[in-house]
Amino acid sequence: MLSFSTIVLPFTFLYKKLLKVNVIEDLDGNKIVFIHDIRFKGKRSVDWKDVEAYLKQYVGECYDVLETADEIYIGNDFPSEVKGSEDTIKLRGTNAKAKANATQKIPQLIACATNKRWSENKKEKHKADAKYGWYRYTTRFALPVYNGDSVERYNIFRIEMLVRHSEDNRLYLYDMVNIKKEKETKHPT
C-alpha cells in the first residue's frame, strides 16, 4: 500500500498554453503524475499508429525538467520512435497500455523527471542526432483501474525518458523506455 504525504496543488507551466496536472508526492519524495483518463484502450493490444498520431501534437514544443532546468525539445522523430522502437515492440499487456497512456502527459512527465544519467552514443546511426550522447531521466505516473464506472485503484509506474543530445547542442526526447509497474494504491483523497 502506498502512502501519500502531500498533494502538490495547482502545478502549472506557462509555455504556449497553460497546462494543469495533478501531481502527488509519495513518502519517499517521488513525484507521481496522475493520469485520470485511459485514452488508449483495448483488450488485446495497443494501436501504436493512434499513439503516433496523438504524439505529433507535441512536435516543436519545449519543456523544462524542474530538477535540472534542462530544456527538452520534442523532435519530429519522437512519435515514430515511440511507435516502433525495440522497447515498444517487446511490450505486452499492462505495460504496453501504460506506455501508450503516459503519452497524454508528456510535458508533466518531463517536468517531474529526476535521476539524470549520461551515456555515450555507441550506434553509428545516431552519430549526428546523438552526437553528445544520451541522457536518461526517471519519472513516475499513475493510471486508474476501473471497476465498472468507478476508480477501484491506481497503478503506479516508473518509466525512463530517453533523451538524445544532438549536434545542435539541444536535448530531444527520443523515447520512453523500461517501464515497470511499481505499486498500486487506492485513490488518494
Side-chain angles (χ1 to χ4, degrees):
M1 180 63 79
L2 180 66
S3 299
F4 295 96
S5 60
T6 59
I7 298 177
V8 181
L9 294 174
F11 197 78
T12 60
F13 308 92
L14 290 171
Y15 289 96
K16 294 181 183 174
K17 324 175 210 181
L18 182 66
L19 303 169
K20 293 183 181 178
V21 64
N22 294 331
V23 176
I24 302 278
E25 192 171 287
D26 70 12
L27 292 175
D28 296 326
N30 298 316
K31 289 181 177 63
I32 302 168
V33 176
F34 271 72
I35 301 170
H36 300 289
D37 292 325
I38 301 296
R39 181 180 186 94
F40 302 103
K41 319 175 189 199
K43 294 265 185 210
R44 296 190 176 224
S45 64
V46 172
D47 185 343
W48 289 102
K49 288 180 184 176
D50 288 347
V51 176
E52 178 184 29
Y54 180 82
L55 284 171
K56 289 181 180 178
Q57 71 179 308
Y58 295 116
V59 172
E61 298 292 333
C62 178
Y63 305 101
D64 294 335
V65 177
L66 296 176
E67 183 178 85
T68 61
D70 291 337
E71 293 181 334
I72 308 290
Y73 291 85
I74 310 298
N76 291 328
D77 58 342
F78 177 60
S80 62
E81 186 61 30
V82 169
K83 177 189 129 220
S85 71
E86 292 174 18
D87 184 78
T88 299
I89 291 167
K90 70 181 179 183
L91 285 177
R92 299 284 181 263
T94 301
N95 286 344
K97 290 175 186 160
K99 180 176 179 174
N101 283 290
T103 63
Q104 298 176 77
K105 300 294 182 186
I106 295 295
Q108 297 86 351
L109 292 171
I110 291 171
C112 293
T114 61
N115 192 25
K116 179 181 177 181
R117 292 118 35 228
W118 179 83
S119 64
E120 184 180 351
N121 177 45
K122 295 179 178 149
K123 292 187 177 179
E124 182 66 26
K125 73 178 186 174
H126 293 298
K127 78 177 189 182
D129 67 352
K131 181 176 183 177
Y132 301 113
W134 297 89
Y135 290 96
R136 289 177 185 257
Y137 299 79
T138 302
T139 193
R140 290 173 173 79
F141 63 96
L143 290 173
V145 176
Y146 288 95
N147 183 1
D149 289 339
S150 62
V151 175
E152 180 179 291
R153 66 183 187 279
Y154 279 85
N155 286 335
I156 314 272
F157 295 88
R158 178 201 47 78
I159 197 165
E160 293 179 3
M161 309 295 270
L162 183 60
V163 174
R164 60 184 176 82
H165 193 171
S166 184
E167 68 183 344
D168 67 2
N169 210 26
R170 287 184 173 179
L171 300 175
Y172 291 91
L173 183 58
Y174 186 71
D175 197 2
M176 302 183 309
V177 298
N178 299 334
I179 189 167
K180 182 177 184 223
K181 181 179 165 190
E182 288 192 327
K183 305 171 185 175
E184 55 185 56
T185 184
K186 291 187 177 183
H187 187 285
T189 54

